[in-house]
Amino acid sequence: MGEGMRVGVVGATGQVGTVMRRLLLEREFPIAEIRFFATARSAGQTISFGDRDVVVEDVETADPAGLDIALFSAGATGSRAHAPRFAAAGATVIDNSSAWRMDPDVPLVVSEVNPHAVDEARKGIIANPNCTTMAAMPVLKVLHAEAGLERLIVSTYQAVSGSGLKGAEELASQVRAATEQNVLGLVHDGAAVTLPQPVTYVRPIAFDVIPLAGSIVDDGERETDEEKKLRNESRKILELPELLVAGTCVRVPVFTGHSLSINAEFAEPISPERAEQLLAAAPGVELADVPTPLQAAGSDPSFVGRIRTDQSVPGGRGLALFISNDNLRKGAALNAVQIAELIAAKQPAA
Amino acid sequence: MGEGMRVGVVGATGQVGTVMRRLLLEREFPIAEIRFFATARSAGQTISFGDRDVVVEDVETADPAGLDIALFSAGATGSRAHAPRFAAAGATVIDNSSAWRMDPDVPLVVSEVNPHAVDEARKGIIANPNCTTMAAMPVLKVLHAEAGLERLIVSTYQAVSGSGLKGAEELASQVRAATEQNVLGLVHDGAAVTLPQPVTYVRPIAFDVIPLAGSIVDDGERETDEEKKLRNESRKILELPELLVAGTCVRVPVFTGHSLSINAEFAEPISPERAEQLLAAAPGVELADVPTPLQAAGSDPSFVGRIRTDQSVPGGRGLALFISNDNLRKGAALNAVQIAELIAAKQPAA
């Protein structure tokens, strides 16, 4: 490590932080100095990074001075507490939480969709979108440019790793319990299964789906925060403040990979063939006959397929399609690192 | 068994046939005589039914004379081959396959929704709807009566038992393989999992979702037969030949219980509160905060919840809601037995 940026990863020991560290190495991000931060519980441990050993610092007490970029995956509370301090010390904060996304002085950036917005970081903070919204943006951007997006109806199939390690552990423990009872293949009746009491989710997640991802927002609209993020973040990223969006966010027993079933309505007609032609050339997008989260897990692109004319929209102005994307990579860590790359590319050569 | 109907179950040893036999007993259907039929492979075995032992007859060679009702769950091919012969011998055939559903001389009946249609069985055959469509009908019927249904956008979450025992076995075998590799809870990357080669489905189903339930129909519209059934059968059952329907049919790693995320548009405004009031009183429907397939499995009603105003429809004319229902009970065997009950109720007392 010599020339390059001085980079911090905040929340370095968590699920997304771990992927951030891996991606910085994989993508050969130009690093002059690397620092890892976490809460007091994880501070003090040593993590190897390439050929270096890095001692994790306590984010509460560490001095952020000297950092160029701070990649935050510390939750909304951690981000509200610490991101302004890191920004004030001179770092550009790239934040993975929901804390700053709707702040008009904080750009919300998908690297392939609105990279120009990184220049509008008036608080020194750039926000990374919600993982579900993220998956759809590279696809919808090119379709919007062609035909003028007017309305989105979305049902999601969200992986448990979107709830952090505890989500994956809850699914795994319930599956193990079912396996030990030898009820697999006999489970034709809910009564036959005795699963551990759910903790992370309001219902069992093994061999089940839960149509409540996130928490109901107390504004009388009965939507979850996930469903509101899908609307508000799509509008901000696509720069379509009036876009009509209805989402139903559902958790499914998948470890990694968020999927969306989308019915999109446009101002102009657009055929499935034309959509495929555009998407074949779109950055961050890969066409698939039958996109699945297991295919997407461990990969970068948003896989998109099952593209059809929505037969319920007059005049060929509707498309139905299905998207799967790795919620920990593009949905979180990868896009954050890509934003860091946009910033690094703007620096004068050392 | 004395007074009552002379009943045959065709496909008696299959997954749905097994549930049919159980429901006939549970619901104390009035049975004077019971006969079981299956293919040659299963013929000859003895199945107990209440206090009787019944030898399974070969459907190819058996004489159907003397039956009042024949419950068919023998697949579309079996039904095309044998249902007309059973009907000609005097039985009313209640058929669970897709073979006759769109025949204008065959009523397509959901017992709570259009019971009057049983009188229109001009071929002696009554069709039982597709399990996915079925789940939604008792819910949509009452909302339509109130506000005038105009458009449905549906994404499904369909259980593997909808593909028969082989679907459940494929899910179970893949889960077992993952468990034996001890990768549960570590599965953050598709590459980490070596699952058995899929046979029933085009992709792995364990810890995955497959946005292709059914087979693509070769008419250029790129929809699956499941997606077309959802449109065509909804139109026929609700007697709305112009209803706009767009479905995306997705298989999920759930053993039993089909779910639908529905965005419904109406001619008139309808509030979530009014919808709940109507649904609380609707036959075959049960309100649930968070309906799940595991809750529905083993139960009769369509569980419906997450009822919200669809914010993307102007004037409060849209609702979003989520439905889960046992695809083997109401979705197949139960509705067939309920149709038999409608017929039995019309018979003069013996």
Side-chain angles (χ1 to χ4, degrees), chain B:
Chain B
M1 304 193 191
E3 289 175 8
M5 314 283 288
R6 295 164 299 176
V7 176
V9 179
V10 181
T13 57
Q15 189 171 232
V16 172
T18 302
V19 182
M20 283 173 169
R21 288 187 276 115
R22 191 163 67 225
L23 288 173
L24 286 169
L25 287 171
E26 274 181 28
R27 298 175 67 88
E28 301 180 353
F29 188 84
I31 291 178
E33 184 186 351
I34 186 84
R35 293 170 66 187
F36 297 147
F37 304 86
T39 55
R41 195 161 46 97
S42 300
Q45 61 177 271
T46 301
I47 293 180
S48 67
F49 182 78
D51 53 10
R52 295 187 51 170
D53 287 324
V54 181
V55 177
V56 177
E57 303 175 56
D58 182 342
V59 66
E60 289 279 352
T61 55
D63 178 0
L67 289 173
D68 298 311
I69 289 178
L71 296 165
F72 263 69
S73 185
T77 308
S79 178
R80 271 188 216 99
H82 303 297
R85 189 161 54 88
F86 277 64
T92 299
V93 171
I94 303 167
D95 181 41
N96 190 48
S97 83
S98 64
W100 305 97
R101 289 181 192 145
M102 299 315 295
D103 187 318
D105 290 324
V106 173
L108 182 63
V109 176
V110 179
S111 64
E112 302 89 349
V113 174
N114 58 340
H116 55 272
V118 297
D119 296 330
E120 294 154 27
R122 290 178 289 274
K123 284 185 170 161
I125 302 173
I126 298 169
N128 207 38
N130 174 266
C131 44
T132 307
T133 309
M134 183 94 71
M137 291 299 104
V139 170
L140 295 174
K141 170 70 176 181
V142 294
L143 301 179
H144 167 60
E146 174 78 3
L149 188 62
E150 293 189 334
R151 183 182 177 198
L152 293 174
I153 296 162
V154 180
S155 292
T156 71
Y157 303 71
Q158 295 180 227
V160 292
S161 58
S163 315
L165 283 171
K166 67 185 191 305
E169 282 159 9
E170 186 148 319
L171 172 56
S173 73
Q174 291 176 0
V175 169
R176 257 186 238 111
T179 313
E180 282 161 15
Q181 292 169 61
N182 198 24
V183 292
L184 294 185
L186 306 170
V187 190
H188 294 162
D189 188 323
V193 202
T194 309
L195 296 175
Q197 195 65 23
V199 177
T200 302
Y201 302 115
V202 297
R203 296 286 182 277
I205 184 64
F207 312 118
D208 206 7
V209 304
I210 309 175
L212 188 82
S215 310
I216 302 282
V217 177
D218 188 22
D219 63 358
E221 292 185 347
R222 299 174 172 217
E223 294 180 321
T224 67
D225 49 356
E226 284 283 303
E227 289 155 0
K228 290 193 181 291
K229 287 174 195 171
L230 185 66
R231 175 182 302 119
N232 294 330
E233 297 184 19
S234 295
R235 287 174 172 176
K236 183 165 176 174
I237 295 163
L238 296 170
E239 296 166 5
L240 289 170
E242 307 294 324
L243 183 67
L244 298 170
V245 182
T248 299
C249 289
V250 180
R251 194 73 62 185
V252 294
V254 165
F255 283 103
T256 294
H258 283 359
S259 304
L260 301 89
S261 173
I262 299 182
N263 290 70
E265 298 176 29
F266 300 89
E268 304 294 331
I270 178 168
S271 70
E273 293 76 13
R274 178 63 180 149
E276 284 174 347
Q277 195 178 35
L278 292 163
L279 292 168
V285 175
E286 189 165 323
L287 288 172
D289 283 352
V290 182
T292 73
L294 213 52
Q295 174 184 25
S299 292
D300 292 345
S302 284
F303 293 86
V304 58
R306 291 301 324 278
I307 303 171
R308 292 150 285 152
T309 294
D310 180 332
Q311 305 281 342
S312 73
V313 180
R317 294 185 298 96
L319 289 175
L321 48 84
F322 196 88
I323 298 171
S324 291
N325 175 253
D326 186 323
N327 52 299
L328 300 180
R329 288 175 77 100
K330 184 63 185 177
L334 173 61
N335 192 64
V337 172
Q338 287 173 315
I339 293 172
E341 290 170 349
L342 291 172
I343 293 166
K346 289 175 189 286
Q347 302 303 310

Side-chain angles (χ1 to χ4, degrees), chain A residues 139 260-262 276 279 285-292 295 302-308 320-324, chain B residues 211 222 248:
Chain A
V139 171
L260 301 90
S261 174
I262 299 182
E276 284 174 347
L279 291 169
V285 175
E286 190 165 322
L287 289 171
D289 282 351
V290 183
T292 73
Q295 173 183 30
S302 285
F303 293 85
V304 58
R306 292 299 325 278
I307 304 171
R308 291 151 285 153
L321 48 85
F322 197 89
I323 298 172
S324 292
Chain B
R222 299 174 172 217
T248 299

